[in-house]
Each structure stands twice: as structure tokens, then as C-alpha cells.
Amino acid sequence: MDNIRYLETITKADTMKRYGKIHRVVGLIIESKGPEAAVGDLCYIHTSEYKEKIAAEVVGFHSENVLLMPFREVKKVSPGSVVEATGEPLKIKVGMGLIGKVIDATGHPLDGGAFPKGLKGYPTDQEPPNPLSRPPIHEPIQVGVRAVDTLLTVGKGQRIGIFAGSGVGKSTLMGMIARNSSADLNVIALIGERGREVREFIENDLGKEGLKNSILIVATSDQPALMRVKGAYTATAVSEYFRDRGYNVNLMMDSVTRFAMAQREIGLATGEPPTTKGYTPSVFALLPKLLERTGSSMSGTITAFYTVLVDGDDLNEPISDTVRGIIDGHFVLDRKLAEQGHFPAINILRSISRVMKQIVSEEHKASAEKIRSLLATYEENRELIQIGAYKKGSNREIDQAIDHHSSITQFLKQGVYEPASFEKTVEDLKNLFE
């Protein structure tokens, strides 16, 4: 029986190699006459001088010409350079050997070393799971950040957005989650980051303990737009591989905004019309496909944290608005809190976890709602309190908010390397008013 199956496979195999020739290069796009290929297929451009192959992807067609975008900067490509089609999309190598490693967007070790043994090929671009195959979120996951575990509890398989301007503490918060979370594995994608920040994140924010249990995918801002887009796909594919094997995975992506900017570059280069704030229609089509791939499945879970870089602290700009409508909750990092030395600078009143009510006890829920109420009351009357216009005893709720404000603020602050277990944190929340 096996022999028949092998013979059928050999009979169906396409043994022909298809080639084309470079026609012209315009900006980011390389146009070639042939080869026969589909959108998303991997091709290799053979350079004349260095006798090397440059990987490129088919991103579109124009007047019967194939539009290619290279994975790295193109040099020594001339008219007539040969383009070889592979007939399949990009695949990365994944496996247990990747844990503790730093790789690039194509899955190669970033330090230039050899691949670990025991890896297998895995496609980067996959369809989201069937909605009916997703089990409901019913169990909390320890994030290890007091403000999150108590007032914005995250469930296994939930997708969260971290919205913040530059320099408010997104990377620091990601490092805290990676070190303190109860997940089996962290997959961290640094998309469009400065080259300087990669080493700093690994050594300062993540640390040796965090790296032992993590896989980093890095596509820096100096790399071509296609590498930045593929970095997001590769990180999601690595997470899916481990989810399919029953792991509870944390996926942290910094940032979705730079993924959208990279896709905008590709869209404009291929002739797409710019729409809202210059973003092309493909950006808003690809965001749901990327974000919906994470979450829970019948085998395991991917709890995803996506950072969104908010220009000018405007939470209503197009990418922020689109991402917020897709995911299951958001944390807003407030610049005012950061300036006051309140870290992590999570604005509790502007943040929400959409599954918290389903996964926490009634006692936990009541304590969290009481703290939210006291914080909201204090914020509404902040000016009166600070200028001394409020007289104590005029309003019982405001009196309670003033009495407890200091202890609540102290509870929500947390040192970068201060551990916090879920059970103890929830217990401390319940005892906060005693």
C-alpha cells in the first residue's frame, strides 16, 4: 500500500524548474518576464558577479510581468538576471531547538550560527482557525503584573493590545510579562525596532532567565518592508506550531503599527491607492488575518500581546482603531503616569479586559469594581481635591476615594524585577480595604 502511495506522489511531482529574467527595477519592486508563479511564492534571483541567490517573494503582476520584492537589499542585479521559481511559499524551520534562540524573519539564526538539530519545515502564512473550533476562554493566566492580574485579568487564549506613545514603557512591560508569566513559552517579535534596542531588550528587559524560555524573532527598521511583514508572520507561525503541540504560548509583538507601515510600503510600491492617512486597503485586510490566527484551539492556547504605537497619544488613529476592534481588550499606557514615576504606567480607567468577568470569582470581581469606582471618583474630583476646594465630609464616596487613593496607587506600582504571583496578588487585592 505504501509503495502505491509513493508511486502516486512521484507521478504527481512537478520536476520542471521554471525561470524568468529581470526586466526592470523600480524602487522597491523588481519586474521580471516570467517565471510562472503565484502571489506569495518564493523565488530566487541569481546575481551575475557574486554567484549568489537573493530570496524574493511574488507580490503582484503588471502587464504580464511578475512583481517581486526581495527579502534584503539588492546589489549586482542587472537586466537579464535569472529568476528561479520554487513553486511554494516561504517555509521556516521550527522545533524545540529554537527555544532560547534569536532568529530573523526568515527563521535563520540572527548570530549567523547553524540551525539547531531536529527542526522541521513549517509555512509562515496560514489561515485562522475555524471559529467553531475555538473553545471559550474560561481560565485566567498569570501575567505577573499586579495591575493586570487584579483589575484587567487576562485569560488563556486572549488577545490584548498595549497602546502607548514612544518611551512610555512598552518594552519594559513586555519584559515583565515574559519573566513573570505562567505560560509554557514566550514568542517575542521585535518588528521595526531600532538595531540598538534589540540587544538592550534581550539583556536589560528580558534577562537570562526570560531568554531561557523564549524565542525571539527580530526584523529591525533598516531591513526591507517585506522582512518586517514576514517577521510578524514568522512569529505567529512559531506560536501556532507550539500551540498545536499543546503548549500555552505567550506571543508578544512590538509593534503592530510598524507591521502596518511595512505593508503600506509594499502596497504603495505595487500600485495600491492610499486611503486613510496613506494606509492602503491591503493593510486593513491583512490586520484581521494576522490577529485572528492567535487565540485558543482544541490543542493549546496563544495568549497574544500586541503593542500599538500611538502617534501623538491619539488612540483614534486608523491602526489603533482597527486593532482595538479586533482584539479582546486593551491596556493604555499613560504618559502622565510615567512622568509621575508610576510604573507600569497603565491607566486602569481607560483599559479593559473583555473576558475578565467570565474567568474570575465573584469576590475578585467585586473588589476590582470597587477599586475602579474609587479611582473614577477621585479622577472626577481631582482638581477640587488638589486646590483644597473640597471639604471633607461633604460626600461619603469622595471621602473614601481620598482615604484609599494612596494605598491603591501604591498597590498598582510595581518594580521591574519585583515578582508577583496571581494567587497572592488577588489575596492582597481583597485585603486592600481592611
Side-chain angles (χ1 to χ4, degrees), residues 145-218:
V145 179
R146 269 199 300 269
V148 174
D149 283 339
T150 53
L151 306 181
L152 302 162
T153 312
V154 176
K156 288 181 180 177
Q158 188 175 352
R159 298 160 304 156
I160 289 287
I162 301 173
F163 293 75
S166 55
V168 188
K170 295 190 300 299
S171 298
T172 305
L173 180 59
M174 281 173 58
M176 289 176 71
I177 295 170
R179 289 192 307 273
N180 301 336
S181 173
S182 62
D184 301 323
L185 178 70
N186 300 306
V187 177
I188 304 171
L190 302 179
I191 310 299
E193 285 289 327
R194 305 172 189 89
R196 172 186 63 82
E197 291 182 337
V198 174
R199 186 80 177 262
E200 287 183 6
F201 177 80
I202 294 170
E203 293 183 0
N204 300 337
D205 296 324
L206 193 59
K208 287 184 179 179
E209 288 302 312
L211 184 60
K212 279 181 188 176
N213 203 36
S214 303
I215 301 169
L216 263 76
I217 295 90
V218 176

Side-chain angles (χ1 to χ4, degrees), residues 12 25 64 80 100 125 141 265 344 364 372 375 405 408:
K12 291 176 183 177
V25 178
E64 298 184 3
D125 196 0
I141 187 171
E265 284 182 45
H364 181 170
R372 274 185 173 272
L375 284 172
H405 185 71
I408 291 171

